[in-house]
Amino acid sequence: ARKGVDRALPALRGCVAGATPGTVTVTFTIGEARRPQQVSARGGSAATQACVAAAIGGVRTDAAPDVGDARVTARLAFTP
């Protein structure tokens, strides 16, 4: 999942423009389709949350979990 989040960095950097300093916690599930599902973001402004959720939602991981779904939580620090 870390590589997937790393691939979202260019889009996440675009979220910084309207962000206030602070952290956003993003959670999502990776299943057999290798795409994030049930993406939610908490912290920061509503615009920053929406931007982060969209950036993560566009990621595809290298591999699907071995069994079932993997739940991922990441904390992102924004310093505009």
Side-chain angles (χ1 to χ4, degrees), residues 19-68:
T20 56
T23 60
V24 174
T25 301
V26 62
T27 57
F28 55 96
T29 302
I30 299 289
E32 289 186 20
R34 301 182 350 214
R35 293 205 179 271
Q37 300 172 358
Q38 303 169 343
V39 180
S40 68
R42 292 185 321 268
S45 68
T48 301
Q49 290 174 14
C51 185
V52 167
I56 294 296
V59 170
R60 186 176 186 119
T61 61
D62 289 333
D66 290 337
V67 177

